[in-house]
Amino acid sequence: MEIGFSSEERQFREQCRDWLHANVPAERRPMDAIDAIDFDKAWQRTLFDAGWAGINWPVDYGGRGLSIVQQVIWLEEYARAHAPWIGANFVGVNHGGPTLIANATDEQKAYHLPRILKGEAIWCQGFSEPGAGSDLAGIRTTGRVEGDELVVNGSKIWTSFAHVADWQELVIRTEPGSSRHKGLSWVICDMHSPGITIRPIRKISGQTEFAQVFYDDVRIPLANVVGGLGNGWRVSMSTLGFERGTGFIADQVKNAIEVEELIGRARANGMIRDDRIADDLAQMRAEVAALRAMTYRNISEVIRTGQPGPESSVIRLFTSELGQRIERMAVTLMGEAMIDFAYGDDDAVADYLRGFAATIAGGTAQIQRDIIGERLLGLPKSR
């Protein structure tokens, strides 16, 4: 691929910068999911009305149909403008919607896609389970076919935004006696259905962003199955590909900006004179550059094949672990001010505490290493 941007792409960057400068909310996004839900919906609606929602979605489905290079430009400017995280809209916009576009029926697309883009319907992801974690093939939640419905029983855990969600991308075992990746189905679950119980999980940072979800004879129409009964593994792989391939580009850009800000902070408070801190910051700057190169390589692969490959797991793992080191450095540079920290007063401590979840979200670090070992390095399967 050509490294650099064309004149049209540079012009597009100016358009992004101008719109963000005029429209980024002055107020901070609330940190707790319940407190933030109205903010998230309003910001998503603002993006939609201006044509910036679903920038990677096809125009036929209400998106902007931008190239992946333009997506990167938008995300870079978005991070530089300190625009708010899309929060509760993350699942629907970044991988729920794209999964529907790739696998759903016309009826499913017509109903759900506009609501996702406008911020009218919040989605969550029902993949991880107690006892299985991010091992998708270890799913035990079942869906029994009765007439034209599935009767679902089981439990999911670490479900981000479940307590504020309207719909869920839910993977269940619909073939009795099946094991591992066989006999699974990907279904659209109405989170307001009778039989669903949601217990929010309070994190160490004080926020309730995750939840455990219980299903007790929850009835879901067979019409909500995406990609056909028993094809859940294939559909789920496309979901995870979208999530790991492009869903975290914004995090990478945020990491790059934060490292430069930390270097400036260390120079300002004199801590840059500590050789250990200077070395660590230099290492982070180099790793950010390496991550950017890997991302551009992955983008080149997506342009060539149309789908992110298993290489996206390298980027996902590297992004999350580098992010944790950056957040730890931010707290270190606070010095004695960290002792007087009160929740909500400084993003650095809250980001540091939230960062412990980064190597769990979207598949644990161990799962990413399994994928890298098996699909990229050709090592024997671990299970």
Side-chain angles (χ1 to χ4, degrees), residues 250-272:
D251 288 343
Q252 297 164 22
V253 177
K254 177 172 173 284
N255 285 347
I257 292 173
E258 284 184 351
V259 167
E260 296 308 312
E261 290 177 346
L262 291 178
I263 291 172
R265 188 183 305 176
R267 285 174 173 155
N269 65 16
M271 295 179 77
I272 197 72

Side-chain angles (χ1 to χ4, degrees), residues 258-309:
E258 284 184 351
V259 167
E260 296 308 312
E261 290 177 346
L262 291 178
I263 291 172
R265 188 183 305 176
R267 285 174 173 155
N269 65 16
M271 295 179 77
I272 197 72
R273 291 191 292 273
D274 183 317
D275 288 343
R276 180 180 56 84
I277 288 177
D279 287 347
D280 287 348
L281 286 169
Q283 179 70 23
M284 288 177 191
R285 179 183 268 175
E287 291 183 4
V288 163
L291 183 58
R292 187 184 183 92
M294 286 193 290
T295 300
Y296 280 8
R297 183 190 181 282
N298 198 46
I299 289 170
S300 179
E301 183 71 9
V302 172
I303 292 173
R304 189 177 65 82
T305 66
Q307 287 277 343

Side-chain angles (χ1 to χ4, degrees), residues 161-325:
F161 301 107
H163 48 312
V164 295
D166 303 294
W167 299 95
Q168 183 179 51
E169 46 184 33
L170 175 64
V171 179
I172 53 179
R173 192 165 294 285
T174 52
E175 184 178 320
S178 62
S179 64
R180 303 302 296 166
H181 61 280
K182 299 183 183 299
L184 300 173
S185 295
W186 197 107
V187 301
I188 302 168
C189 175
D190 183 348
M191 292 297 286
H192 306 294
S193 300
I196 290 182
T197 302
I198 303 170
R199 293 180 184 169
I201 298 171
R202 187 168 295 280
K203 299 188 297 184
I204 191 173
S205 60
Q207 304 158 303
T208 52
E209 199 170 272
F210 306 144
Q212 185 166 9
V213 183
F214 300 89
Y215 310 82
D216 184 11
D217 285 338
V218 176
R219 292 186 170 271
I220 300 175
L222 280 174
N224 284 19
V225 175
V226 174
L229 271 177
N231 292 322
W233 183 261
R234 178 185 61 77
V235 179
S236 298
M237 290 304 101
S238 68
T239 303
L240 295 175
F242 289 120
E243 182 181 18
R244 295 166 184 164
T246 58
F248 291 94
I249 287 177
D251 288 343
Q252 297 164 22
V253 177
K254 177 172 173 284
N255 285 347
I257 292 173
E258 284 184 351
V259 167
E260 296 308 312
E261 290 177 346
L262 291 178
I263 291 172
R265 188 183 305 176
R267 285 174 173 155
N269 65 16
M271 295 179 77
I272 197 72
R273 291 191 292 273
D274 183 317
D275 288 343
R276 180 180 56 84
I277 288 177
D279 287 347
D280 287 348
L281 286 169
Q283 179 70 23
M284 288 177 191
R285 179 183 268 175
E287 291 183 4
V288 163
L291 183 58
R292 187 184 183 92
M294 286 193 290
T295 300
Y296 280 8
R297 183 190 181 282
N298 198 46
I299 289 170
S300 179
E301 183 71 9
V302 172
I303 292 173
R304 189 177 65 82
T305 66
Q307 287 277 343
E311 295 84 358
S312 56
S313 285
V314 177
I315 295 173
R316 173 74 189 98
L317 177 63
F318 201 95
T319 300
S320 59
E321 294 191 343
L322 175 59
Q324 288 178 332
R325 292 197 295 278

Side-chain angles (χ1 to χ4, degrees), residues 10 12 23 52 56 68 71 99 107 115 128-129 154 169 194 197 206 229 285 287 301 325:
R10 288 194 293 274
F12 175 73
N23 290 280
W52 293 108
N56 59 331
I68 196 162
Q71 293 172 42
T99 301
E107 290 76 12
R115 289 168 173 78
S128 297
E129 292 193 3
E169 46 184 33
T197 302
L229 271 177
R285 179 183 268 175
E287 291 183 4
E301 183 71 9
R325 292 197 295 278

Side-chain angles (χ1 to χ4, degrees), residues 62-89:
R64 191 147 174 167
L66 299 181
S67 70
I68 196 162
V69 174
Q70 289 174 310
Q71 293 172 42
V72 172
I73 291 172
W74 164 255
L75 293 171
E76 287 178 343
E77 294 306 316
Y78 193 94
R80 285 196 183 96
H82 295 285
W85 182 44
I86 63 171
N89 296 291

